[in-house]
Amino acid sequence: MNVDGRGILEIKRRRELANYYYDNFRKHYETKKFSKASEFLWGTLNALVYAIGLFYGRKLTTHRSVVDFAKELASAYKDKEMGELINDAETIHANFFHDFMDEYNFENYRRKTEKLLKRLVEILDHEMQTQFQGR
């Protein structure tokens, strides 16, 4: 899991991108534009998982590869709930395209997706701290 200089820059860029997407999620969420908020929530997840994947030498360029790798992480961390939360996050992603969620359902899936995001941030921050010490 050793990352070269270009990889470090890309990981940091993806972490910043996740923050940018999350800020945009919050803006759309506050105005109850749930379809657009869904897009940015998934974008946040995508950027975080992509960055973590780089620590494993993986470039996750498709929806399926992001989901599969996130499930691999859940398995590696022996976190069954994390695996289930990934399915909930996929439902949020589908809401962007199909705009089928009412406010009650959106709140339920949003909470679950944000719980997953918190775990992904913890994993990414730990990897960054471990790998980037002294760089």
Side-chain angles (χ1 to χ4, degrees):
M1 281 200 283
N2 202 358
V3 180
D4 65 13
R6 286 179 49 195
I8 291 170
L9 290 176
E10 183 62 12
I11 289 166
K12 288 180 178 180
R13 187 182 80 77
R14 293 288 175 153
R15 181 67 168 92
E16 290 171 12
L17 188 60
N19 290 339
Y20 171 79
Y21 287 154
Y22 190 78
D23 289 345
N24 277 285
F25 152 71
R26 296 296 309 169
K27 290 175 193 172
H28 292 287
Y29 173 66
E30 289 167 8
T31 59
K32 297 187 183 292
K33 295 178 183 168
F34 299 128
S35 174
K36 194 68 174 167
S38 297
E39 176 185 26
F40 284 111
L41 204 53
W42 178 263
T44 304
L45 181 146
N46 190 298
L48 292 170
V49 173
Y50 189 97
I52 296 166
L54 291 175
F55 283 107
Y56 294 85
R58 309 261 296 272
K59 289 190 178 183
L60 308 168
T61 58
T62 66
H63 175 92
R64 181 56 35 214
S65 65
V66 168
V67 170
D68 289 347
F69 183 72
K71 288 182 179 183
E72 286 177 38
L73 284 174
S75 178
Y77 282 86
K78 296 180 181 11
D79 189 337
K80 182 179 177 186
E81 184 184 34
M82 185 177 166
E84 293 167 1
L85 293 171
I86 294 161
N87 295 331
D88 296 320
E90 279 194 287
T91 304
I92 281 281
H93 185 236
N95 188 58
F96 166 62
F97 293 106
H98 305 291
D99 195 22
F100 59 89
M101 287 186 186
D102 60 19
E103 187 170 358
Y104 175 82
N105 283 320
F106 183 81
E107 283 301 315
N108 180 43
Y109 285 98
R110 176 201 57 81
R111 279 191 301 276
K112 291 176 181 181
T113 302
E114 285 192 292
K115 190 173 189 177
L116 174 59
L117 293 178
K118 183 178 182 214
R119 288 188 177 145
L120 292 171
V121 165
E122 289 168 358
I123 291 168
L124 178 58
D125 287 350
H126 174 77
E127 290 293 345
M128 289 176 71
Q129 184 179 27
T130 302
Q131 292 284 321
F132 300 168
Q133 285 179 340
R135 289 189 186 192

